[in-house]
Amino acid sequence: SSMVPTYLPGERLTAVRRWRKVRVGDVVVVHDPADHQRFLLKRCVAIIGNQLDLRGDNADFSTDSRSFGLVPSRDVVWLVTGSGHK
């Protein structure tokens, strides 16, 4: 629910291995800094050097850079390129 209304829970996404630098506005997949077994879907809202400020589109239901800090850009696993249907 952290990315509602952009993406709905259960929605299928198309994501590809990162092949370029992350840009502001990109939706990315990273390992959760608190639990590397889990992945997080977040939007890049700022780039400071090689660090990314990642946020959920639904701030009230998002654990993001406001709680775990900036994320090194090298930690981005996938870039989201589109969505499908449930």
Side-chain angles (χ1 to χ4, degrees):
S1 58
S2 72
M3 291 300 288
V4 170
T6 308
Y7 302 112
L8 301 176
E11 186 171 354
R12 292 179 187 253
L13 304 177
T14 301
V16 295
R17 289 265 179 210
R18 193 182 78 175
W19 77 96
R20 62 166 171 78
K21 289 184 177 183
V22 175
R23 300 177 192 138
V24 170
D26 283 346
V27 176
V28 301
V29 179
V30 296
H31 286 282
D32 183 340
D35 177 3
H36 275 272
Q37 299 296 321
R38 199 178 118 167
F39 291 100
L40 299 176
L41 179 70
K42 301 295 172 193
R43 184 176 307 280
C44 178
V45 298
I47 301 171
I48 300 122
N50 288 324
Q51 304 280 314
L52 306 176
D53 185 347
L54 301 178
R55 306 281 177 103
D57 288 351
N58 187 355
D60 292 338
F61 294 95
S62 183
T63 301
D64 51 36
S65 285
R66 291 170 295 170
S67 58
F68 53 70
L70 300 177
V71 174
S73 61
R74 70 178 178 273
D75 289 356
V76 171
V77 182
W78 295 290
L79 293 170
V80 175
T81 61
S83 64
H85 301 286
K86 285 186 177 182

